[in-house]
Each structure stands twice: as structure tokens, then as C-alpha cells.
Amino acid sequence: MADQALIPEDELCCSVCCDIFKEPVILKCSHSFCRVCVQQYWKEKNSRECPICRGKSSVEDPPVNLVLRSIVESLNQKSEATEKSGAVVKSEACCSLHGEKLLFFCEYDKDPLCVVCQTSRKHRNHTVCPVEEAVLDLKEELKPALNLIKEKLKRFTVVEQESKETAEHIRSQSQHTEKQIKTEFEKLHQFLQEEEEGRLAALKKEEEEKSQIIKEKIDNVTRHMSTLSDKITAIEKAMDTEDTLFLKNYKNINERAQCTLQDPELLSGALIDVAKHLGNLKFRVWEKMLGMVQYTPLMLDPNTVAPWLSLSDDLTTVRYTGTKQKCPDNPERFNWCVSVLGSEGFTSGKHSWEVEVGNKHAWDIGVVKESINRKGDITYAQKRGFWVLMLRNGDAYTRNGGAAPTPKRKPQSIRVELDYDRGEVSFFDSSDMSLIYTFTDTFTERVFPYFSPYLREDGKNEGPLQICPVKVSITVTSSQ
């Protein structure tokens, strides 16, 4: 038992399986292993050598290490007894070299020492303190790092919760979008079904009309054929009579033989006008479909909309609700200012869109760069990437850092024109295309349309902002 007390538990582990010895055997080189482990090792290496020192073994079945087996069995019995009794045994840590209690701590090597270690040459010039003092100091030293880990854990916990909420929002987005897609296609299906039924009805009507005409034609020809057959029969009968009688009746027979009927002709245009029904069928249906569809030059991005705003199902209208919606605070979203971006950004070319503002007393419309800060309060500044026209109190138009000329009349809709390559953002009254203001700058990154229905000073917001659809027309050009 004294030997057991001097052997650390980690030295009772097999170096192959790294677990407590099971039936330990000893090799010629004095290294010990589990019997199964060393035999498996030899089988894999196809050579009887020590897994540690690579020394050759001359026997296939090494002898049992009786002393080591006794220590391991004693340790296992003690562990089982402790588990059964439920008692917690506090073991005194001892020096693996000298078997003495560890009472001191070397501040230089960061190792616990016994009395003998303390006086050894290795630690002679090192600062040594009692274990109790070292434990208190080191625990205090660990607290800042521990607190940092706890703070990091909190952040990970927050991100985990937000990620779970995002996953739920993704499912909700998918379900809502699926519903909208089905609704739109149901409208298209209904239109196509009605168009199909209308065109089939037109074909059926033409068939009935032309069938009636040809039927009347057939009936008329049949009546004339019957009349002519009767004439032929009567004349042939008269011609078969006695000569004197034939001559006597010849005058009447000759009159009867005269036929004033015109020769029959086939009706022109009697057939179904197939070309009318099938010619450019898909194009004509598509052309007619323009009456039920509309095109909007840009859509609003629901992943950027502030929680107090709501978008229409077609993503063209934004309005202030006054109620904070439940949505993830993803990096793209405005979380304080009541703003939303267009879904498409631009890095070149000319682009334009119109926004219906109606009689709203306050709104912000313009263009912003992609990298603007979207969290917390926002200050418009051209140098920060905001090219925004603002309306305040119903008639005061302002821009980034100053006032813009007030139009003669209050516009009901604003046209925004972006020329990325020339670095211009212009605002017009859509009714007469009179210029309100033009920003000039140099764009160096992707820019997005920007919208904010804004709040009046009294907290009211009496209407939405709506992106106006553009008129779609079809122009057919003939190839030369």
C-alpha cells in the first residue's frame, strides 16, 4: 500500500490505450502494457517490439507484472468501495519524486514543491511561497480572464438566441413568400383559364355560325336537286309517250324543260378561320396580360426595413405602423431610424424611379452607400454616404447639411435620377419634371435607393411612400 501511495494514478495507465492497466504484462525492457494492447500492437507492426523503446521481445506471451497488477486491483477495489459508500475522499497531493506533501509553490516555474524540492538546486534562487498564498493569488489572477470568458459566453448566448429567432423568421418568411407566390400564380392561372375559355367559346361560336350557313346552303341545294329530278322524270315520261301524243304536248314539254336556275357555287369563307384563333396565340395572350400586370423599377428590401415599418405584399409601399414588429436584428436592418433600402444596388449606369409622397408632411428620399451605419441614430451627411432630400413640416425641403430650393407647389410624387458614372443624384417634381436639387459626388461603392416615411414632430405619420409603377408597352418591329 505504501508503494501505491507513491505512484501517481496517471502512471498506472497503459501508454497504448491511455487507460488504467488491464492484466498488465512486463517486457524484457521493463516496460509494462495491457496484454491485449501489446499483442494488438505487435500484430499491426508484424514485429515484437516495445511500443516505447522499440526493444525486441523474444517471447510471444510476456509474463504478468504481478506487482503492478496488485496495485491496480487495490486501486480499483478502493474506487468501487468509495462509489458504493458515496463518500468523497479528499486525497493529499504528494511529490512524485520524494513522496512528501506539496506545501510550497515556485513562482518562477509555476510548480508545486515539497520540502525536499524547495531546498534543491533547481529551485534554490527561485521565489517560493506557501501553497495557500499561491492559490489565493493565482485565483485572483485568473478572475479577469474568467470574466472575459463569461462575457464572451454571454455574447455567444445572445447570438445563439438571435440565430434561433432568425431561423424562425426564415421559416416565417418562406411560408409568407410561398403563399404570395401561389396567390400570384393563381391570378395568372385564372387569367389564362378565362382566356382559354373565351377563345374556345369564340371558336365554338364560329363553328356553329358557319355550320348553320353551310346547312342552309345544303338544304337549298337539296331543294333545287329535288325540283330538277322531278323535271327530268316528267320530261322523260313525256318522251316515252306515243308520237302523236308527244307532238301534241311538245309545246308544254318544251316549256317545262326550260331551266332558269343558276349553277350552284361553293360558299367563300365557309371554313373556320384557324389563323385568327391560333395566329400568334401566345403573344396575343401575353399582350392582353399587360392589362393585369405592372412593372415597378425597384422593390423594397424587407431584410433592411426598420421594425416600426411595414411593407406591402408587392414590396412597393412602406408605411409607419407605430408598433414594433418582431424581426431579427440582422446586420442589414435599420434598428432605430424608420428607414428601408431598395432591394437592388447599383455600381454603374443611369437609373430612375418615382415615389408617390402625396400630402405627407415629412419624408426622406434619396440614395445611400452600402456601408452606412444602420444601427442607432443616423445623421445625414454627404461625406458619410447620404444623398438624401428631406421634407419637413409640409413645405420645408432640406438636404444633407443645408436647405434645398422649395418648389412653387408641393409635389405629389418625386422622381429620383441616379447617374452613377457622372456622380449625380437629382430630384424632380414628377408632374412637370422641374428640378428640385442635384447632388454631385464621386461614388466609390455600391449605392442603394433610400426611403423613410419619417415622423412629424407630433409623432404622426399620415401616409405611406409608394414606388410608382411604370407604363409597359409593346413595340413590334418588322425585320428587313
Side-chain angles (χ1 to χ4, degrees):
M1 296 299 291
D3 291 337
Q4 177 187 338
L6 295 177
I7 301 178
E9 187 171 326
D10 59 354
E11 294 186 13
L12 299 177
C13 295
C14 171
S15 59
V16 176
C17 66
C18 299
D19 201 355
I20 299 294
F21 284 109
K22 298 180 182 64
E23 195 179 358
V25 295
I26 187 167
L27 304 185
K28 184 179 179 180
C29 58
S30 299
H31 291 127
S32 295
F33 309 92
C34 300
R35 181 184 298 279
V36 174
C37 293
V38 73
Q39 289 179 346
Q40 181 66 28
Y41 181 83
W42 286 352
K43 182 177 180 181
E44 292 175 357
K45 294 293 184 179
N46 198 23
S47 173
R48 291 197 300 273
E49 62 180 26
C50 175
I52 296 177
C53 66
R54 299 295 187 266
K56 299 294 183 179
S57 176
S58 57
V59 294
E60 295 184 6
D61 190 12
V64 176
N65 188 331
L66 298 176
V67 174
L68 188 56
R69 184 176 68 179
S70 176
I71 294 173
V72 171
E73 289 177 351
S74 177
L75 178 64
N76 289 337
Q77 290 173 0
K78 185 176 180 181
S79 298
E80 291 175 2
T82 302
E83 291 177 2
K84 290 180 179 179
S85 64
V88 178
V89 179
K90 183 178 180 181
S91 60
E92 290 281 354
C94 296
C95 177
S96 60
L97 295 176
H98 309 107
E100 299 290 337
K101 292 182 179 180
L102 299 173
L103 301 177
F104 303 97
F105 180 77
C106 177
E107 295 183 358
Y108 182 81
D109 291 324
K110 304 297 183 185
D111 287 330
L113 308 174
C114 68
V115 176
V116 181
C117 292
Q118 179 196 7
T119 59
S120 66
R121 181 180 299 174
K122 179 180 178 182
H123 302 285
R124 182 172 299 169
N125 296 322
H126 295 172
T127 301
V128 176
C129 66
V131 166
E132 292 80 3
E133 293 182 9
V135 168
L136 292 175
D137 292 341
L138 293 178
K139 284 183 178 180
E140 286 297 320
E141 186 179 318
L142 282 174
K143 282 184 178 180
L146 179 61
N147 290 334
L148 287 176
I149 295 174
K150 289 180 177 179
E151 287 299 320
K152 191 173 289 290
L153 176 60
K154 288 181 180 179
R155 291 194 290 271
F156 272 90
T157 302
V158 170
V159 171
E160 178 193 35
Q161 181 61 33
E162 290 180 349
S163 298
K164 289 180 179 179
E165 293 176 358
T166 300
E168 182 61 32
H169 189 71
I170 290 172
R171 284 191 291 272
S172 176
Q173 277 186 313
S174 177
Q175 292 171 358
H176 180 73
T177 305
E178 178 183 353
K179 182 179 178 181
Q180 290 302 115
I181 290 174
K182 289 182 177 180
T183 299
E184 292 302 316
F185 272 93
E186 284 175 3
K187 293 177 182 178
L188 293 174
H189 293 159
Q190 181 67 23
F191 169 81
L192 291 174
Q193 183 177 352
E194 292 175 356
E195 189 67 17
E196 177 187 4
E197 291 174 353
R199 291 182 176 273
L200 291 176
L203 174 61
K204 188 66 175 176
K205 181 180 179 181
E206 184 178 358
E207 178 194 6
E208 292 174 351
E209 289 176 350
K210 292 193 171 180
S211 295
Q212 181 63 29
I213 292 173
I214 200 68
K215 180 178 181 300
E216 293 175 356
K217 177 69 174 179
I218 292 172
D219 291 342
N220 187 42
V221 170
T222 302
R223 286 195 302 271
H224 289 315
M225 289 174 62
S226 178
T227 300
L228 293 175
S229 296
D230 292 342
K231 279 182 177 287
I232 293 172
T233 302
I235 293 172
E236 288 179 344
K237 184 178 181 181
M239 292 173 65
D240 289 340
T241 60
E242 183 184 28
D243 293 344
T244 304
L245 185 58
F246 170 74
L247 291 174
K248 185 179 180 180
N249 294 322
Y250 172 76
K251 185 177 181 180
N252 291 332
I253 295 173
N254 186 46
E255 290 178 357
R256 196 169 185 181
Q258 301 304 310
C259 182
T260 59
L261 291 177
Q262 296 181 352
D263 290 343
E265 295 181 357
L266 292 175
L267 291 176
S268 176
L271 301 179
I272 296 293
D273 190 353
V274 176
K276 181 184 72 174
H277 297 285
L278 294 182
N280 293 315
L281 178 59
K282 297 185 184 69
F283 175 81
R284 291 186 181 187
V285 173
W286 176 62
E287 185 180 31
K288 190 174 180 180
M289 191 180 291
L290 291 179
M292 64 168 294
V293 299
Q294 64 181 24
Y295 172 75
T296 307
L298 62 87
M299 300 286 108
L300 300 174
D301 185 357
N303 295 333
T304 66
V305 66
W308 294 271
L309 302 178
S310 69
L311 303 184
S312 59
D313 288 337
D314 62 0
L315 305 180
T316 63
T317 303
V318 56
R319 77 170 60 242
Y320 177 76
T321 64
T323 303
K324 187 175 182 179
Q325 311 294 319
K326 185 177 181 181
C327 55
D329 188 20
N330 49 297
E332 301 86 356
R333 190 180 306 281
F334 292 93
N335 70 348
W336 182 256
C337 291
V338 286
S339 307
V340 62
L341 298 183
S343 61
E344 182 182 1
F346 309 109
T347 56
S348 64
K350 296 180 179 180
H351 311 273
S352 63
W353 55 93
E354 291 187 11
V355 185
E356 184 178 338
V357 296
N359 292 315
K360 287 176 61 61
H361 285 72
W363 45 256
D364 302 342
I365 298 171
V367 173
V368 298
K369 66 181 183 180
E370 184 175 18
S371 61
I372 62 167
N373 176 38
R374 307 182 190 187
K375 307 302 180 184
D377 198 9
I378 292 176
T379 300
Y380 295 153
Q382 190 167 336
K383 63 182 179 181
R384 294 182 180 179
F386 291 85
W387 301 273
V388 178
L389 185 70
M390 301 173 284
L391 172 70
R392 296 293 182 268
N393 301 321
D395 57 3
Y397 288 78
T398 58
R399 57 180 175 82
N400 300 354
T406 300
K408 295 179 181 180
R409 61 169 178 249
K410 183 180 178 183
Q412 296 296 297
S413 64
I414 300 293
R415 181 179 177 87
V416 184
E417 291 189 355
L418 164 67
D419 189 332
Y420 188 97
D421 301 320
R422 294 184 61 181
E424 293 182 353
V425 181
S426 299
F427 301 86
F428 301 86
D429 181 344
S430 299
S431 63
D432 58 7
M433 288 304 294
S434 57
L435 178 65
I436 299 174
Y437 190 79
T438 296
F439 289 101
T440 57
D441 210 329
T442 299
F443 301 129
T444 58
E445 62 176 271
R446 187 183 302 273
V447 296
F448 285 82
Y450 175 83
F451 308 86
S452 174
Y454 205 75
L455 293 175
R456 300 194 322 190
E457 293 182 358
D458 57 8
K460 294 182 179 180
N461 189 288
E462 59 284 308
L465 294 177
Q466 181 177 6
I467 303 170
C468 302
V470 297
K471 184 177 181 181
V472 180
S473 61
I474 299 175
T475 301
V476 179
T477 57
S478 59
S479 59
Q480 298 296 329

